[in-house]
Amino acid sequence: MNKKVYMVAGYNTVSMGTGRSEFNPKKPRPGLEHYIQEAGKATLKKIGGAKNVDESVIGNFMAARFNNQGHLAAMIPSIDPGLQYKPSIRVEGACASGGLALISGIKSVLAGTADVVLAVGVEVQNTVKAMYGADHLALAGWQKNRKKGHAYFFPGEFSDRAKAYYEKYGEEYTRKGLATWYKNAIENARLCPTAQEFENKNTDLMATGMTQPNGHIFVDSLNVFDCSKVSDGASAIAIVSEEGLKRIGIKKSEAIEVVGFGQVEENLLDDPISQTELTTTKVAVEKALNMAGISRDKLATVETHDCFTIAGILATEALGFAKPGKGAAFVTEGNTSRSGIIPFNTTGGLIGWGHPTGATGVHQAVTLWEQLTGKAGMAQIDIPKEKPYGLSVNMGGNDKTLVAVVYKKVE
Amino acid sequence: MINLDKIQHVAVLGAAGKMGSGILYLNTLYLSQLALKPENCNRTFTIYAIDQSHERLQALMLYIKSLLQKWAEKNIIALRALFAERDDLIENREVIQAFIEAALALIVPSTRLESAYDATLIFEAVIENIEVKTALFSKIKENNPLNPWFLSNTSSIPIDELNKKARLDGNIIGCHFYNPPAVQKLIEVIELKDGNKQLSEYVYQFGKELGKIMVPANDIAGFIGNGFFMRDLLFGIEKLKQFKNKFSFSESVLLVDTLTRDFMLRPMGIFQLMDYVGIDVCSFILKVMNNYLSENLHSELLISLMEKHVKGGQNADGSQKPGFFTYQKGRIETVYNFDKSMYEPIEQLLPKVQEYLGGLPENQSWRSISRNKEKSELLSGFFRKMTQSNTAGCQLGMEYMRQMKTIGKNLVTQGVTNSDEHVNTVMITGFHHLYGPINEYC
């Protein structure tokens, strides 16, 4: 990279939805603007206010359907009058919209058009029942496949991946891996007060994760615990240059450095090249690691896009931590737990923390910023000196839009 | 196989009522799915929703629409398969909408009985009055050229009485739904001895398709459900006398209600249940049963309460009207004082009642046990401790349990049903009891 890019001053709202005791689907709830403003204001407060911001970017997937609201870039000034008449753009790449917001901010800093970018990601999904939400989310797939797809379209797509993995490597073996992924996710979420599963009190997570899927009420090869949550939430972070850091008056050690990224697209009209491989994820991660000039053994932690447990297992393989077919074992053996070789999703990921779709990419950056700067509270993991890196992997659709970012702890 | 010609035009009499609306909904669900089958694409299915006022029929249509929507949302996976050939329906929302529209299109709301003259199947859910029912049946029988089959939702009148009085030639069956029919799983089926076998076959198939639990009962007034419930409530009323000297009327009512709810682990006490069903309805059913049975089934108390306009039952929004009790958000708030014709706050009465009854054998409730997987172990433990306790509540509870067993057993000896199991199934599914009255706990 031609100049240094940092991220700092992250903030996550609560991931609101079933599981949170304050969530009541029958009562009116905060809307899109509330989440945008809560996250935006929190980040602005940490960076000395809106006057320091050159431009903003907002990632969101489907507010037009979930909230009957388009034109989200123009909602940015509602965060603070100081953002009025400043540049702002909205980006969309399905569930990788948040990741695209990061990329957009990084590119603005690299291009020199901005020294301080406010990046926000948001989604408010609990406005409709699950079967209608499935319609909205299905727009992340090729529209001509919708008719033959499952009522719960994306659970159906990933159920097909799980089925293929079962058939290739064994059902019981796979199920154990999926259940362990679920268990880790919930245990990590219990350490993060903003997580949707923070209050989960289940005493036998493994048994819950082992629940036999039932195609009559859901999909054939995944149970409901294999799925990420339906969430309302927003995240925000500042993307800044060295000059930007000076302007906002924050020490480098309070920030993380972006040292590599990969953002790639696969043809939306094509079926997956392989049901048991996240091909696009693999490409994006390789690009990011190459740009960072590091190998994966330098990573202290990974935030991966576990929209479904099977996506978590497949990610361990796409990232090269496990060989094809060995991802389930890698997870079952505890390697991805918070005390394992490579802790994944230390605040619960999409399954445990929540998945406000358009916010997820930004949430991942905030989590890594917290972990690499020692701000993760109860969820803090040890960041070894020889492994000062973190990786985020944000996926849109069924492995179609990918954003991988490598971050480095700043000494 | 049921001949579809015989079931494709349905009429529901009393369609806007509490029971009729549910029966209409179930018929709509059943026929709409039949209508969607490719082999039936050339058939026209019709459901005449017959009731007295246009206003109620309009409200009914909105109610049916909301029920269909809930059903469609819950069954979206099956619905997508049903609509697989419809290339224009892509999203769940479109499939659900199309299903609702097609189902509602089957319903023809009408305030005229004449509509039933075009029906092949007549579901009846009008007032529990033999004269009214037979008058309607006779009229339809005389004017309908299709020789229709009749299904009565009566909960107490012997089917053969309706058959003979309306001259239906055996083309009638008892099909007793429980309230609310859309949700309640139980249907009591009362076949005539020499009734129409095809009609029976149809009823069982209809119930099966809708996921109902069908329990056969013999044609004796009150059948199993009311046969049990009426004797249960008469015993509760009789019990009040026992406390006459020690307690006021309102205290005794609260005492027996608390006993039957908390000590017998039922969802509601016997007096609350009477309020729920309606004191007038209970009184009416007793009167009907009394006509046909040699046993004296009669309550002066219920008649006196009705004279004082204390009737219970529910408002249109589902909230409870004043009866033995008044309610706030479903909880008992005041208790009726018969002598003073006024209600007294429950807090003033409860301490004395609780002190007399003493504590429960174990800290359990209908709610806590119904949610527990180890239901039968918990029930055994609860009632075992109850037999060992000397408190007034436990002893009265056991006496009540024994009486319930006797009532249940008598239904079998009197030939209302041939099996203990059927009695228990009706009480468990129809009345949400955690256990059947014929049990090993007492």
Side-chain angles (χ1 to χ4, degrees), chain A residues 216-239:
Chain A
H216 295 295
I217 53 170
F218 193 48
V219 293
D220 289 336
S221 302
L222 294 174
N223 61 44
V224 290
F225 308 102
D226 289 316
C227 304
S228 53
K229 315 286 294 181
V230 174
S231 316
D232 301 347
S235 294
I237 200 161
I239 305 170

Side-chain angles (χ1 to χ4, degrees), chain A residues 51-126:
Chain A
K51 67 177 191 308
N52 286 334
V53 174
D54 295 318
E55 62 178 58
S56 303
V57 55
I58 181 163
N60 170 265
F61 174 27
M62 208 30 88
R65 293 275 296 250
F66 279 113
N67 318 100
N68 298 319
Q69 183 64 61
H71 205 173
L72 263 59
M75 290 179 86
I76 286 287
S78 81
I79 298 169
D80 190 294
L83 298 174
Q84 187 93 309
Y85 307 125
K86 283 187 177 176
S88 169
I89 55 170
R90 178 258 178 97
V91 289
E92 188 269 309
C95 300
S97 300
L100 291 186
L102 300 179
I103 296 295
S104 165
I106 291 168
K107 286 183 174 172
S108 281
V109 172
L110 286 177
T113 58
D115 286 307
V116 178
V117 178
L118 172 66
V120 180
V122 68
E123 205 78 54
V124 173
Q125 300 176 289
N126 282 295

Side-chain angles (χ1 to χ4, degrees), chain A residues 328-389:
Chain A
F330 187 73
V331 172
T332 305
E333 287 159 12
N335 295 311
T336 58
S337 81
R338 58 190 305 103
S339 55
I341 297 168
I342 176 71
F344 270 69
N345 297 3
T346 56
T347 59
L350 285 65
I351 298 212
W353 189 82
H355 185 26
T357 43
T360 291
V362 182
H363 167 256
Q364 292 176 328
V366 175
T367 303
L368 288 174
W369 168 69
E370 288 172 344
Q371 287 291 6
L372 295 177
T373 57
K375 295 183 198 315
M378 287 189 291
Q380 185 67 49
I381 56 159
D382 180 40
I383 306 294
K385 254 196 151 32
E386 66 281 11
K387 291 183 172 188
Y389 296 94

